Amino acid sequence: MTMAMDEAAIRSALLKWFRRCARPLPWRKSADAYAVWVSEVMLQQTQVATVIPYYHRFLQTFPTISELARAPLERVLELWSGLGYYRRARHLHDAAKEVMRRFGGVFPQDYQQMRTLPGIGDYTARAILSIAFNRPYTLLEGNVARVLSRLDVLKGNLHQGGFRDAVEDRLGRLLSRRRPGAFNQALMELGQTLCLPRAPRCAPCPVRGWCRGYQSGQAELYPQPRPRRAVEYPYLAVAIIRRGPRVAMVRGLDGGLMADLWNFPSAFGDSRSEALSSLREKLAASRRASVLFQESIAELGHRITYRAIRVDAYPAEVSRHAGREPFEWFLVSTLPQAAISHLARKIAHEVFDDA
Ligand code: SF4
């Protein structure tokens, strides 16, 4: 059999399997560009099961691009709260406004025009073009790379140019020109449901007959892992500053993290005492006043990518300030609905009876 015949057979087996076995994910019910776009943005760095309820809530609240464009950013961030990577929500909102302003509310169908919208990179543009507009664009991501590296026993990983070129080349030849959207989704589905990283489920796999990884008996060795970044264990001191029923919040966590979300005033350090004195200095500098901390009232752990953070929450008093306030004062009872970080939510749950 020639390679081209092989590729046609793989393509057809994959599409047939996808028609029969695809999970009924909510974004697969619609080929509307707006819905595809929202799902693609939510799925960046986030698991399918986590995204589903957020996707439903988001589209119920903003069923069209114009409703998203008209919404206040604060409302968009509230609906995103808990999904992480909040820059995605900001970009989505900004891009919706641009689609209204520059394209009369109609999502562009041209790759170059799409790329001018905030937050739409190469991958997202290709996803929307292939899935919503059935245009022949390939989609290379981790799941797809895993399937193809096993199919062809390709050594390396996506961070290596030679590996990437080989996978892209094979993907370009395999792509269905008639049904590119279904083809791209089928390959990802295969990677997510059968061709799993540690234990591939080869028995029901539609491409097993062509898979050299399966034939080698060592499919799980492909692709090769990238060396992991070592975990860091910083301390974070957090100030709980009350004024009657309200509590002080600031935008962002210390060190530029979570810049879009409300958090309790905080500071990192390599030790518990270093974090606390950094927080004392930070608050004193921002208010030009002295700060009085009480004993820690809550200790908890929180993971942000490679950081396993040890958090201490301290009730604090700061003298009133004549100039511009460095805080926003939130009613404690409204914190559960506010656009606060997941970490702030955990802290509020620990330290307040009414949040
Ligand atoms: Fe992956 Fe196994 Fe299918 Fe090969 S046969 S693509 S290793 S699930």
Side-chain angles (χ1 to χ4, degrees), residues 147 150 194-195 200-202 205 207-208 211 214 219:
V147 173
R150 289 172 177 178
L194 298 183
C195 199
R201 297 172 51 214
C202 300
C205 177
V207 301
R208 193 182 60 175
C211 181
Y214 168 71

Side-chain angles (χ1 to χ4, degrees), residues 20-176:
R20 262 190 310 116
C21 303
R23 291 166 296 171
L25 300 177
W27 42 88
R28 290 191 176 147
K29 293 197 185 110
S30 165
D32 172 51
Y34 171 61
V36 171
W37 173 40
V38 171
S39 70
E40 283 301 326
V41 173
M42 286 188 169
L43 287 164
Q44 290 163 10
Q45 290 128 336
T46 310
Q47 302 281 328
V48 167
T50 309
V51 165
I52 291 173
Y54 284 90
Y55 175 82
H56 281 306
R57 264 199 305 275
F58 201 89
L59 283 199
Q60 269 159 17
T61 312
F62 311 123
T64 62
I65 205 159
S66 67
E67 276 152 296
L68 173 60
R70 282 201 306 270
L73 173 64
E74 205 64 17
R75 180 73 185 120
V76 179
L77 291 173
E78 275 168 29
L79 285 174
W80 207 272
S81 181
L83 256 190
Y85 302 98
Y86 294 87
R87 188 197 293 238
R88 296 181 299 176
R90 262 179 194 280
H91 280 155
L92 203 58
H93 188 233
D94 287 343
K97 288 193 272 190
E98 285 203 25
V99 170
M100 297 309 294
R101 189 170 52 81
R102 289 171 43 209
F103 302 110
V106 180
F107 209 87
Q109 294 196 25
D110 174 78
Y111 175 88
Q112 295 302 344
Q113 283 185 332
M114 252 187 221
R115 290 294 310 274
T116 63
L117 293 170
I120 300 202
D122 175 66
Y123 180 86
T124 308
R126 287 167 168 274
I128 299 169
L129 283 162
S130 65
I131 298 170
F133 301 122
N134 210 37
R135 303 270 296 279
Y137 282 86
T138 54
L139 265 192
L140 177 56
E141 45 81 91
N143 292 296
V144 170
R146 185 166 60 254
V147 173
L148 296 185
S149 74
R150 289 172 177 178
L151 202 59
D152 293 349
V153 287
L154 293 172
K155 290 206 169 116
N157 61 55
L158 267 185
H159 301 277
Q160 295 167 336
F163 176 90
R164 201 178 175 97
D165 290 348
V167 170
E168 268 174 354
D169 178 56
R170 178 71 143 142
L171 185 57
R173 284 184 281 116
L174 277 174
L175 180 73
S176 163

